[in-house]
Amino acid sequence: MYDPILAHVGQYIRLEPAETDYFTSLLKYKLLRKRQYLVQAGDVCKFDSFVLKGCLRTYFVDDRGDEHVVQFAVENWWTGDLYSFLTQSPAAYNTDALEDSELLQIDQASMDELYERVPKFERFFRILSQRAFVAAEQRVIATISQTAEERYRHFIERYPGIDQRVPQHLIASYLGFTPEFLSRIRKQLATRKA
């Protein structure tokens, strides 16, 4: 069960066997059924969650009741409302399972203990935070400077195979399109490939 997260961590830091054992002792396994919430807006996000299997989405609901997808999380991704988790304040986002999903979770107190006993994990989570920040910046730039087709292509590169796992209207929401507009883009790309 721990192999995927240990391989993920191993991309950034090298752990000794005792450090590996300590880290895995802090993790909790969580099974989410399709449509089940990991966290709801207004609740405090109690865990940072690593996806072993499945697909989740993080989204917010605007004043008109429209949903806006801000992230998908698939295997080997971390998910949750990071601001809520770090500050223990109410979440701004909802995160729910689009498929039955298996997660490994760590709570804030355990993470603080981990930083204390295995300081290299501060480096690991700093790298993840930096990568997330850069990805968010790139998404903003793409939204204001790329064509709709370029944004869709970039999305497919970032989330390979997700178009087979996630309903089209959710992909459209993530990209800021209507489902009809996304359908036109997909048809144009399919026509060019044929």
Side-chain angles (χ1 to χ4, degrees):
M1 168 171 54
Y2 298 116
D3 290 345
I5 198 168
L6 293 175
H8 175 69
V9 169
Q11 294 174 17
Y12 305 100
I13 59 174
R14 183 175 162 88
L15 296 177
E16 300 300 325
E19 294 169 333
T20 297
D21 291 344
Y22 179 66
F23 172 56
T24 57
S25 76
L26 299 175
L27 300 173
K28 294 174 178 61
Y29 175 82
K30 174 83 172 176
L31 174 65
L32 281 183
R33 296 290 181 206
K34 184 176 180 177
R35 296 186 194 90
Q36 187 177 355
Y37 284 97
L38 176 65
V39 66
Q40 288 184 271
D43 293 342
V44 173
C45 183
K46 297 189 184 316
F47 300 95
D48 202 5
S49 300
F50 178 82
V51 182
L52 290 170
K53 182 179 178 205
C55 180
L56 297 92
R57 69 170 170 155
T58 299
Y59 66 98
F60 73 95
V61 180
D62 67 21
D63 293 338
R64 294 185 310 263
D66 295 328
E67 294 180 1
H68 302 275
V69 177
V70 295
Q71 180 191 22
F72 294 103
V74 293
E75 291 81 5
N76 300 315
W77 285 56
W78 291 84
T79 192
D81 187 311
L82 187 59
Y83 178 80
S84 173
F85 176 72
L86 293 174
T87 64
Q88 292 297 287
S89 59
Y93 300 108
N94 299 289
T95 300
D96 65 358
L98 297 175
E99 303 171 349
D100 288 350
S101 299
E102 297 178 36
L103 311 170
L104 288 174
Q105 300 181 306
I106 187 166
D107 62 44
Q108 183 67 49
S110 295
M111 188 174 283
D112 289 341
E113 288 176 28
L114 182 63
Y115 291 160
E116 191 72 29
R117 287 191 46 186
V118 189
K120 55 183 93 168
F121 270 100
E122 284 191 302
R123 179 176 190 274
F124 170 73
F125 283 105
R126 175 184 52 80
I127 291 169
L128 291 186
S129 295
Q130 289 172 335
R131 291 173 56 118
F133 180 76
V134 168
E137 281 188 329
Q138 289 174 334
R139 185 167 175 205
V140 169
I141 290 169
T143 299
I144 60 178
S145 67
Q146 291 181 341
T147 67
E149 183 178 313
E150 288 170 332
R151 286 171 34 212
Y152 177 69
R153 284 178 186 262
H154 182 258
F155 172 81
I156 295 302
E157 288 170 13
R158 181 164 187 194
Y159 296 100
I162 199 158
D163 55 333
Q164 305 303 311
R165 298 172 74 177
V166 173
Q168 183 172 312
H169 73 278
L170 295 180
I171 295 172
S173 172
Y174 176 88
L175 293 170
F177 304 157
T178 64
E180 297 78 18
F181 186 70
L182 178 57
S183 182
R184 280 196 299 264
I185 291 171
R186 292 174 72 170
K187 283 179 188 170
Q188 289 171 354
L189 291 172
T191 302
R192 281 190 219 140
K193 285 183 181 176

